[in-house]
Amino acid sequence: MLVFAIETSCDETSVCIMDKNRHIYSHIVHSQEIHKKHGGVVPELAAREHLNVLQEITEKAFSESNISLRDINTFAATCGPGLIGPLLIGSTYAKSLAIGNNKPFIPINHIEAHILSPTYNNKITYPHLSFLLTGGHTQIYLLENKEDISLIGETVDDALGETFDKVAKLLKLKYPGGPQIELSAKLGNELAYKLPMPMLNQENLNMSFSGLKTAVSILVKKNKPNNKIICDICASFQLCITNILIGKLTKALNLLNDKSINISSLSVVGGVSNNKYITNKIRTFLRNENIDLYLPHKEMMSDNAAMIAWSCLNKKKLNEDIFFKPNPRLKI
Ligand code: KG4
Ligand code: ZN
């Protein structure tokens, strides 16, 4: 069973050829540079760039893997959630290949693919918690097993990756902001500024990050940031969001414990899982709770087509649907 998968939900154009034994024959991720000068993703530009590069990277994937289009058994593509223009480009391209080669088309949920990504390189134990931290979503999911996934908490406003990007823009750091903030934070004093942690003391698993952006914007106006101040703000920001995440994790474990659900492992997935400061702090916290931390393979952390292929290969029943309409707010 060979899958050809496409990911185009935001600003990464990616294709992957994978077989059922999880062997990757080719995996190409093209990160669109065009958004850097705008400090954030411009949906229309993203869609055009997907259209420009999809054919080229598809041809490259087949030529470097020495696999022919006719060998592919299934075509898969992200159908949501994401930006509608980019979703339409990738899914229509995959559907056309499926029709042209008389093979099934499988729509894939981007969030589900992120959640399943650590099962590619880890033997996950259940019940399991998944902390999904991306540019568009910040959610906590409870997994009884690979198929039984329920949402138990989420941000009520900005997503965490989005907050990293917006704070970076305020500090005049490059897009995407996450990696830049992580770098600058290494040189800063994390106790320099006390930033707000809204909703931390509420007895639910929801989070709020938009106030942090406002707090940083006030700091920027007051201080005329030099390099030292920028590094201190980055370090204080990272400490603050890590405290929010660990505070909500503690609540999640307690609430589940009250329902006799004893979590045995946790994963952090999505672009923000690249952040070693955050994952190391979470790992240390979990060690005291006797809970294992799993992370996706490096190439499956940020948006990529390998996790789309893997999600397709994990389906018990292939729900082939050539008429599936991409949905920007697709739910699991
Ligand atoms: O999962 P992803 O690639 O795309 C979405 O599905 O949204 O996540 C992208 C987000 C961006 O906001 C980016 O700033 C953030 O992941 N990110 C990071 C780091 N690397 C990427 N955030 C914090 N620290 C990082 N090292
Ligand atoms: Zn993503």
Side-chain angles (χ1 to χ4, degrees):
M1 164 87 165
L2 265 180
V3 173
F4 177 72
I6 297 181
E7 157 61 37
T8 58
S9 65
C10 192
D11 59 341
E12 261 82 31
T13 321
S14 180
V15 297
C16 179
I17 302 172
M18 192 190 285
D19 72 10
K20 70 172 187 321
N21 298 321
R22 69 182 83 191
H23 180 75
I24 296 178
Y25 294 84
S26 173
H27 184 210
I28 300 171
V29 182
H30 167 83
S31 293
Q32 302 181 353
E33 295 287 318
I34 192 156
H35 308 287
K36 285 199 167 145
K37 61 173 178 256
H38 302 283
V41 179
V42 183
E44 178 61 27
L45 295 180
R48 285 172 194 267
E49 180 80 350
H50 287 307
L51 197 56
N52 284 341
V53 298
L54 204 41
Q55 176 86 12
E56 192 184 317
I57 62 172
T58 299
E59 281 169 6
K60 188 166 174 232
F62 281 100
S63 70
E64 74 181 17
S65 60
N66 251 334
I67 284 176
S68 139
L69 250 179
R70 264 164 291 145
D71 298 330
I72 300 293
N73 305 95
T74 303
F75 292 86
T78 304
C79 282
L83 302 169
I84 189 62
L87 288 171
L88 277 166
I89 304 282
S91 60
T92 308
Y93 193 84
K95 285 176 181 177
S96 313
L97 288 175
I99 294 171
N101 291 279
N102 206 13
K103 295 284 163 52
F105 168 77
I106 314 294
I108 302 292
N109 182 309
H110 182 83
I111 298 297
E112 198 173 318
H114 270 304
I115 293 173
L116 291 180
S117 62
T119 65
Y120 176 82
N121 56 326
N122 298 286
K123 181 132 186 46
I124 303 278
T125 49
Y126 299 93
H128 176 79
L129 276 187
S130 176
F131 224 144
L132 173 91
L133 309 176
T134 73
H137 294 80
T138 298
Q139 299 176 315
I140 310 175
Y141 285 93
L142 169 66
L143 279 82
E144 300 281 358
N145 53 55
K146 261 189 194 177
E147 282 81 36
D148 191 348
I149 305 174
S150 40
L151 178 66
I152 59 170
E154 63 184 330
T155 176
V156 295
D157 42 52
D158 293 352
L160 190 52
E162 181 187 1
T163 312
F164 264 100
D165 295 337
K166 286 178 175 168
V167 165
K169 197 171 178 179
L170 286 170
L171 298 173
K172 302 212 165 37
L173 299 174
K174 282 195 211 118
Y175 175 85
Q180 303 297 323
I181 291 188
E182 186 178 10
L183 264 178
S184 301
K186 284 193 180 137
L187 307 170
N189 169 12
E190 61 185 23
L191 302 176
Y193 302 102
K194 202 165 167 15
L195 296 166
M197 296 192 278
M199 299 187 73
L200 187 61
N201 296 322
Q202 289 185 11
E203 279 312 307
N204 58 56
L205 302 179
N206 292 334
M207 294 153 271
S208 165
F209 297 105
S210 66
L212 262 169
K213 190 183 57 195
T214 314
V216 170
S217 112
I218 294 169
L219 278 180
V220 168
K221 277 186 197 130
K222 263 195 200 156
N223 289 290
K224 287 236 173 78
N226 56 24
N227 200 31
K228 181 184 179 310
I229 293 177
I230 290 176
C231 293
D232 285 350
I233 294 178
C234 288
S236 305
F237 167 76
Q238 248 186 188
L239 174 67
C240 172
I241 50 132
T242 308
N243 285 340
I244 298 175
L245 296 178
I246 292 180
K248 286 295 169 175
L249 269 184
T250 311
K251 282 218 162 61
L253 295 177
N254 289 340
L255 287 174
L256 292 168
N257 206 22
D258 290 346
K259 294 183 188 163
S260 304
I261 301 173
N262 294 311
I263 295 302
S264 74
S265 65
L266 177 140
S267 53
V268 181
V269 301
V272 183
S273 66
N274 284 291
N275 188 300
K276 291 220 169 59
Y277 174 91
I278 298 177
T279 53
N280 284 340
K281 287 260 175 163
I282 293 180
R283 182 178 288 109
T284 308
F285 163 75
L286 291 177
R287 203 170 284 142
N288 293 330
E289 305 286 324
N290 238 341
I291 295 174
D292 294 322
L293 173 69
Y294 297 120
L295 297 176
H297 207 284
K298 181 76 186 156
E299 65 180 298
M300 289 203 199
M301 286 180 170
S302 297
D303 285 352
N304 67 89
M307 71 179 188
I308 305 304
W310 179 240
S311 179
C312 177
L313 286 161
N314 269 282
K315 295 211 175 288
K316 272 198 179 142
K317 188 172 162 285
L318 285 180
N319 289 322
E320 135 179 28
D321 189 357
I322 198 78
F323 297 110
F324 192 94
K325 282 202 187 102
N327 178 353
R329 273 173 284 280
L330 190 64
K331 297 269 182 293
I332 286 189

